[in-house]
Amino acid sequence: MSNVNPDPGNDAPAFIPLEANPPLMTNLLHKLGVSPALAVHDVYSLTEPELLAFLPRPALALLLVFPVSAAYESQRLSADSLVAEYAGHGAEPVVWWRQTIRNACGMMGLLHAVCNGPAREFIESGSTLDELLQKSIPLDPAQRARLLEQTPALAAAHKDAAQQGATQAPDAHDDVDLHYVCFVKGSDGALYELDGRRKGPIQLGALASDEDVLSEKGLALGPLRFLEGAGGDLRFSAVALAGTLD
């Protein structure tokens, strides 16, 4: 859920905010075309090894869900002012989408999670996700954003999932106070922060071949560093994309 939306105009499409609910997210991904071999799992701690040990490994992506503080927004705007707008397209280490759909940060996080790194191998041929990914890769960021806006199957699947949460779903145009950011390992072995509100994908540093997003280094480069720099009382939750539990 997010109240920190892009500002593309009054006619921009809007999604019902997506609850950070692993079964709901898993069902949504399967409906869009992800193999049943993958699932979304609760991450109960980013600092306690005994709790991380319960998760299937390797973890292919981590979604961090957090209330946005003034300190975070200030840091984000400052960092983005130092970089140019991303113009990548074609075969690159990660596929990144700009968010132009209001309250769609949950869906953006899931797209970034399953369409990058080894997770991409679990997208079933001919599915909604497969077609969306293949169409997106050669496009520039503006064209990719329009493609998301103009994919009815994506909107329909998202709406169905958002209405099945454990709590009452807000209206698509409501302001809500949570935002999603995704951490994935790119095809170049680096850890990336993927957020459709930023100017592009952010490379955070290299990971070894046996290190995933929940490895000690992956956590230090990604969510822990992210949280340390956010400031204030930053409550958060996290879910990970990984194999299904036996």
Side-chain angles (χ1 to χ4, degrees):
M1 301 179 185
S2 175
N3 71 340
V4 282
N5 287 290
D7 186 21
N10 295 331
D11 296 330
F15 281 0
I16 298 170
L18 191 66
E19 187 176 286
N21 177 318
L24 180 154
M25 289 176 154
T26 297
N27 289 338
L28 172 57
L29 290 178
H30 291 170
K31 185 172 183 177
L32 290 172
V34 175
S35 163
L38 290 188
V40 178
H41 306 270
D42 270 316
V43 178
Y44 294 109
S45 173
L46 296 174
T47 57
E48 299 177 61
E50 61 272 21
L51 294 179
L52 288 169
F54 285 106
L55 293 164
R57 305 294 282 273
L60 304 182
L62 175 70
L63 294 180
L64 190 68
V65 189
F66 62 97
V68 174
S69 66
Y72 169 75
E73 280 295 271
S74 177
Q75 183 275 335
R76 179 185 70 84
L77 292 171
S78 176
D80 280 355
S81 71
L82 302 176
V83 298
E85 290 283 353
Y86 179 71
H89 61 281
E92 298 215 318
V94 291
V95 177
W96 174 81
W97 284 273
R98 178 178 297 145
Q99 182 184 343
T100 57
I101 302 172
R102 182 178 177 83
N103 284 332
C105 61
M107 175 60 85
M108 301 299 295
L110 290 175
L111 287 178
H112 286 139
V114 299
C115 292
N116 286 295
R120 189 187 294 188
E121 300 171 11
F122 293 86
I123 296 176
E124 296 174 342
S125 178
S127 66
T128 297
L129 269 180
D130 181 46
E131 293 180 5
L132 181 63
L133 179 59
Q134 297 311 316
K135 289 178 180 178
S136 293
I137 288 173
L139 302 179
D140 65 32
Q143 293 170 323
R144 287 180 184 175
R146 284 195 295 273
L147 178 62
L148 293 186
E149 293 179 4
Q150 297 168 3
T151 303
L154 189 71
H158 183 281
K159 181 178 181 181
D160 183 58
Q163 292 175 332
Q164 296 178 24
T167 57
Q168 183 175 356
D171 183 81
H173 293 278
D174 282 354
D175 284 339
V176 287
D177 66 352
L178 296 178
H179 187 61
Y180 288 74
V181 62
C182 180
F183 298 94
V184 299
K185 189 174 183 179
S187 61
D188 57 353
L191 182 70
Y192 284 85
E193 177 186 329
L194 302 178
D195 180 348
R197 294 181 62 237
R198 303 301 295 265
K199 283 190 172 180
I202 302 169
Q203 188 188 99
L204 300 174
L207 295 178
S209 59
D210 62 344
E211 292 177 317
D212 65 4
V213 295
L214 292 181
S215 65
E216 184 177 352
K217 187 174 182 182
L219 290 169
L221 287 173
L224 296 182
R225 180 194 212 175
F226 179 96
L227 292 170
E228 288 168 2
D233 180 16
L234 188 62
R235 295 160 290 122
F236 69 94
S237 60
V239 296
L241 179 69
T244 53
L245 292 168
D246 294 332

